[in-house]
Amino acid sequence: MSGLVVRGLRTRVGDFSLGPIGFELRPGEVLGLLGPSGSGKTTLLRALSGFLPVPEGSVSLEGRPLAALPPEERGVGYVPQGLGLLPHRTVLGNVLYPLELRARRDARARALALLSDLGLTVLRDRYPGTLSGGERQRVAMARALAAEPRWLLWDEPFAGLDLEAREDLLDLLGATLETHHLPTVIVAHEPAVAFSLGRRFLLLQDGQARFEGSPEELRRRPPSAFAARFLGCENVLSFEDLERYPGSRLARSLRSLAGPEGVALFSRDLLPVSGGGPGTWPFTLNRLLPLPDGWLLKGDSEGLPLRVHHPETPGALPAPGTRLSVSLRSEALLPLGASEAPVHAPQ
Amino acid sequence: MKTPSQPEARIRLPPKRPWGTVLPAVLGGSLVLLFLLPLLALVTYAPPGEIFQEATNPGVLASLAVTLLASGLALAITLALGVPLGYLLARRSFRGKALLHSVVTLPLVLPHLVAGLAILLLFSPASPLGAWAVRLGFPVFETLWGVVLVMVYVSASYTVLSSELAFRAVDPSVLEAARSLGATPGEVTASVTLPLAFRGIVAGALLSWSRAVSEIGGFLILAYAVYPSALYTGPVTSPISVYIFNLYQLGDLSGAAAVSSLLVLIALTLFLAVRFVEGRGALPWVRGDLLP
């Protein structure tokens, strides 16, 4: 296959071991690398770019094995966390750096063209220490592209950026990836960011790949309680949780529909309804938490803890202690740990 | 009293605390006075004419020449050997690193007379190493090489420790980014690590040089007199600190003060020159956000 192929990659940093990890990326394809802090995202990027030994597994680009090559010969545009801009060089000097290393005759013209493409011309004589977070990200991107990489690895490009800078960078990144058509791995800490980047991602937990697939697939069928929580699912109920409340009719009902690891429900798929009736479950409200578009109701259904979304509506809100009813759409139930969860087997 | 027309949420500036400036200024200023007053007493003791006279005195010039030549050589050796050691201490982990650190720091706590004695015992012409050094044309006892050796011994620690700190302060992600952009390890060292650590290395080198020039204890044992040899072909002399000590012992207080003033002037000129060059932005360490 042309593009990036990673098979059964393992590495270690101190006591932390990563892998086996395997995935394939065609040119122009973006893989979002997702997972909480300490899950191994940065470790994987450092192993791929050649800064950590890979004692097991293989990494190849366009059929050429990379694992034995030093970082400078891997043709990778690696942007580490913190960006690694050269503090003693100006913006132009940073973009010139890889071109000077290659003794390119048109170095200056090329660097200026890249600065212009990324809207950095006015900043060319500034030093990195005087730039904003978004500007620094764009300089890092221009510099990575100046090296004419054949693939891109980007560690948390959106960390520490405000919403506007994030959106600008996202647009720019999208346009750049379209133009340069490179296999790209981008680390993201937050699911929302990863979802906006690409159609595929890899979820890491404790150095292990927990899921690989599209955002829709993950949302539809989270492979584990961890994945569901990471997606922002408010109700993640393990089998033990469901068995702990024998008096709860909802728990009994959910038990028959749950997967081996339990069941997950987004609060938005549970709706408070006036009056009881068939297809509704009792809900006692304990606390209200404000949300941007309504309220999160915390309470329980005959003991079973539950979080329910209450849309912003005119009129009085229920007070804590009120007994309500909730309805839930059965297609909204997410069985956890189902065997057909699309985790790619390590190769 | 508050009236309704007064806005409740008037911006309140933090109260000024004059003591936050005055107290450190008084305490620190006292120390500066302690530095300056003795120097003032020194440079005003001998009449200015005598200072100028000493500046042309062949004996003083020979002593200054030996001291400056030896300190220059010592600095070159210190940089060549000390910066790589600082790099290893900052960037590599290995067994015995803590012990190595102690060895590097040891010359700072050792009385320099002891350092001189230790070097003498190792390099005396009667010892195997001393005899070997003589055969190679580097006699140590009472030669320029002895002065250089003592200077390196008592001063190189500052360069090692300062460059270690400077290398430690270089963000590893900058080095990794440079590697992935196509730089070999050697290119990264030349184009990133050294420029970024330059300021710290220079600071350490200045400390080392100052320490070397101000040395006396080791010289009293190993190089009380300096006889002509390969690099120094002038008359028999001694390092400037020993020269001043001799004048003092002979009771020539005025001469000692005049030569000392000369030394103070040289050091002051050098430090001001470095500051000037730094301020003009003529050295790379003031580029970017490296300037505090």
Side-chain angles (χ1 to χ4, degrees), chain A residues 46 51 70-72 76 78 80-81 84-88 97-98 101-102 127 129 143, chain B residues 173-174 176-185 187 191-192 195-196 287-290:
Chain A
R46 294 189 68 228
F51 293 107
E72 64 270 23
V76 60
Y78 171 49
Q81 229 170 342
L85 295 177
L86 304 169
H88 59 308
Y97 184 73
L101 287 170
R102 286 162 181 76
Y127 285 92
R143 188 179 67 168
Chain B
S173 81
V174 175
E176 288 195 352
R179 277 296 293 280
S180 68
L181 289 166
T184 60
E187 285 169 332
S191 64
V192 185
L196 291 182
R287 290 266 187 84
D289 55 356
L290 295 176

Side-chain angles (χ1 to χ4, degrees), chain A residues 180-201:
Chain A
H180 292 266
H181 217 62
L182 303 168
T184 301
V185 181
I186 296 185
V187 165
H189 189 73
E190 296 163 45
V193 170
F195 292 170
S196 56
L197 283 173
R199 304 319 303 153
R200 285 180 57 201
F201 66 91

Side-chain angles (χ1 to χ4, degrees), chain A residues 15 68 100 210 228 324 337:
Chain A
D15 291 338
E100 286 169 359
R210 296 292 181 203
L324 304 163

Side-chain angles (χ1 to χ4, degrees), chain B residues 145-166:
Chain B
W145 293 117
V147 179
V148 172
L149 199 59
V150 170
M151 282 179 165
V152 171
Y153 195 92
V154 300
S155 73
S157 305
Y158 294 103
T159 293
V160 177
L161 297 175
S162 287
S163 45
E164 182 196 353
L165 280 181

Side-chain angles (χ1 to χ4, degrees), chain A residues 155-217:
Chain A
D155 204 347
E156 299 242 25
F158 300 94
L161 296 189
D162 61 38
L163 201 62
E164 203 177 329
R166 238 183 222 202
E167 282 179 5
D168 284 350
L169 187 64
L170 205 60
D171 288 347
L172 196 64
L173 203 58
T176 309
L177 294 177
E178 215 161 276
T179 319
H180 292 266
H181 217 62
L182 303 168
T184 301
V185 181
I186 296 185
V187 165
H189 189 73
E190 296 163 45
V193 170
F195 292 170
S196 56
L197 283 173
R199 304 319 303 153
R200 285 180 57 201
F201 66 91
L202 185 71
L203 182 64
L204 289 181
Q205 183 195 10
D206 300 330
Q208 304 293 316
R210 296 292 181 203
F211 178 89
E212 194 208 329
S214 69
E216 291 79 17
E217 282 173 315

Side-chain angles (χ1 to χ4, degrees), chain B residues 66-77:
Chain B
V66 157
T67 307
L68 293 179
L69 180 61
S71 64
L73 285 170
L75 185 59
I77 295 171

